[in-house]
Amino acid sequence: MALLDGIVSRRIETSRLAVSLLERAGDPAGGTPVVLIHGNLSSSLFWQETMLALPAGYRVLAPDLRGFGDTDPLPVDATRGLRDFSDDLAATLAALGIEAAHLVGWSMGGGVVMQYALEHPALSLALQAPVSPYGFGGTAGPEGVRLTNDDAGCGGGGVHPDFVARLAAGDRTEAAPTSPLAVYRAAYVHAGFRSEHEDIWLDSMLSSRTGVDHYPGDSAASEHWPGFAAGTRGVTNAMAPGHFNAGGLVGLEDKPDILWIRGEADAIVSDASAFDINCLGQLGAVPGWPGAEAAPAQPMIAQTRAVLDMYRANGGRYREVVLENCGHSPHLEYPEQFLAALTDHIAGTCRRAG
C-alpha cells in the first residue's frame, strides 16, 4: 500500500467484516469526524491528498469498501442496491464509536452516502460526481423513470471484458484504450491532467476484486436492446435502477446539508455519459440502437438536480459547485477549489448546528 507521509493504515474488526481504514496521523479522537467514501474501481488511497489538506481539528477517516483495497472481499448482493456498502459503513462507524459524521462520497461512493443517509443520521453530505439517485443507466427524464422492468443495458454486461482482464492481470501499461491507466487518464480526470501520485491512483484501481461477486458482476439475457440486462451479483449491478434508488432523500425528516460538487467535463457521470449504453447507442458505438423513445441517454445531472431541488423544496439545503475543465475527480484535479467548497460546507453546517 502506497501511503503518503502523514497517513496511517489499520484494519478494524466490525460486526460485518474486517475493514481497512486510512487515518491522518495525529488527529484527535474527539475531533469532528469527516469520513471519505471512494467510488467504484478505486479505494481509500485516492483520498490521501484531501485527508492531509483538511484543517486540523477534524478526525479524518477513509475506509475501503468491500472488495476494494484491503477490506475483506465479501460478495456484493446487487439486489440490495448499495446497502451492502452502506451497512458496512454503519458497522465501521459503530466500531469506531462515531454516532454521526460529515460524509463525503465520490461517484458510487456518493450513492453509498445517499443510501446511508436514508437509514442513519449524518452531520452533512458532500456528493462529488455522484451516481444519480436513480442509479446508473436505464432511466429517462429528470424523474428517473425505468425504461424496462429488467434494466436492459445496465450492469455487468456493459463492461468491456478486455478491461476486466487487464484489471485482474494488474496491467500497468497504457497499451490499449481498455488498460486501467488509459481509462484513468481518459475518464477519471480531464484531458492532459497529470498527477505526481498517478502510480498510487493506479495501485488503487488495481486493488479492485474482479468476478461475478465483485467487478463487474453477472449479467442476464434480455428481450430488449441491447440484449442484456442487470444481474443480481456484483458492483455494477448494485447501481442498476431496479436495485438502487435514493430518491427517498426528499422525504427525510432530518435533512443534513448537502454539497454537490462536480466537473463540467465529467465523462462518467453526465447527461451524455460515455459509459451509458443508451448514449453509446445513440452515438453509433453500439449497433442496433432502437431510438430515443425506447432507449434515451440517462440525464444523470438533471436527475440529481431534480432530487436535490425537491429536497430543498421540502426544507433541506444544498449547494451545487461546478468546476470548469474538470473531469470526474475534482479533489484530484482542482484540490484547492474542492477543499474550499468542502470546508465551507462543513463549517457552515457546524455553525447552524451550534
Side-chain angles (χ1 to χ4, degrees):
M1 181 180 290
L3 298 181
L4 302 182
D5 289 343
I7 300 294
V8 295
S9 171
R10 64 178 170 127
R11 276 168 62 88
I12 63 170
E13 293 292 336
T14 78
S15 59
R16 292 173 58 80
L17 77 174
V19 171
S20 178
L21 183 75
L22 296 188
E23 299 174 290
R24 188 170 60 176
D27 276 355
T32 301
V34 179
V35 181
L36 307 165
I37 307 300
H38 67 81
N40 193 12
L41 295 174
S42 62
S43 74
S44 58
L45 292 177
F46 266 99
W47 285 119
Q48 293 183 84
E49 291 178 317
T50 301
M51 295 175 72
L52 293 171
L54 281 165
Y58 293 146
R59 183 184 182 187
V60 186
L61 310 165
D64 289 331
L65 300 176
R66 65 168 61 191
F68 301 96
D70 288 333
T71 287
D72 283 352
L74 271 61
V76 176
D77 179 357
T79 66
R80 303 190 70 234
L82 295 175
R83 287 184 179 86
D84 276 353
F85 299 120
S86 64
D87 287 352
D88 293 347
L89 174 58
T92 301
L93 296 185
L96 294 168
I98 297 173
E99 294 184 3
H102 296 281
L103 300 177
V104 184
W106 173 34
S107 194
M108 182 184 77
V112 174
V113 163
M114 287 186 267
Q115 183 64 54
Y116 181 94
L118 290 174
E119 299 165 341
H120 306 279
L123 299 179
S124 73
L125 307 182
L127 308 176
Q128 177 184 236
V131 62
S132 163
Y134 299 123
F136 198 95
T139 58
E143 65 278 9
V145 175
R146 288 174 71 198
L147 295 169
T148 65
N149 59 7
D150 62 356
D151 294 333
C154 298
V159 177
H160 200 297
D162 189 61
F163 173 69
V164 179
R166 290 176 180 274
L167 190 71
D171 180 8
R172 303 188 69 87
T173 73
E174 200 177 6
T178 51
S179 299
L181 179 57
V183 171
Y184 161 81
R185 289 177 173 173
Y188 282 48
V189 295
H190 67 270
F193 175 80
R194 292 292 184 269
S195 166
E196 64 177 311
H197 301 305
E198 193 172 70
D199 283 347
I200 299 178
W201 313 151
L202 183 58
D203 288 341
S204 182
M205 293 178 69
L206 295 175
S207 77
S208 306
R209 306 308 199 280
T210 59
V212 293
D213 284 323
H214 299 290
Y215 181 86
D218 63 354
S219 186
S222 176
E223 63 180 329
H224 307 286
W225 181 87
F228 69 85
T232 61
R233 300 160 66 186
V235 177
T236 57
N237 295 308
M239 290 180 280
H243 300 322
F244 171 70
N245 186 321
L249 283 172
V250 302
L252 286 179
E253 183 175 348
D254 296 320
K255 295 181 174 63
D257 288 356
I258 296 177
L259 169 67
W260 176 25
I261 184 166
R262 61 184 181 86
E264 55 86 23
D266 193 336
I268 298 175
V269 175
S270 165
D271 286 354
S273 170
F275 292 79
D276 176 8
I277 290 293
N278 289 355
C279 184
L280 293 174
Q282 185 175 355
L283 296 173
V286 180
W289 183 61
E293 183 173 349
Q298 181 188 11
M300 302 177 188
I301 302 302
Q303 289 175 354
T304 298
R305 183 174 293 112
V307 167
L308 293 181
D309 282 348
M310 286 188 285
Y311 189 82
R312 175 184 285 159
N314 287 348
R317 299 185 184 91
Y318 91 88
R319 177 190 176 203
E320 179 181 1
V321 176
V322 183
L323 301 179
E324 295 184 2
N325 192 36
C326 180
H328 191 59
S329 311
H331 72 296
L332 299 183
E333 301 168 73
Y334 294 96
E336 292 182 1
Q337 293 91 325
F338 175 82
L339 188 70
L342 179 59
T343 53
D344 284 352
H345 164 68
I346 292 173
T349 298
C350 292
R351 283 195 297 272
R352 283 189 285 271

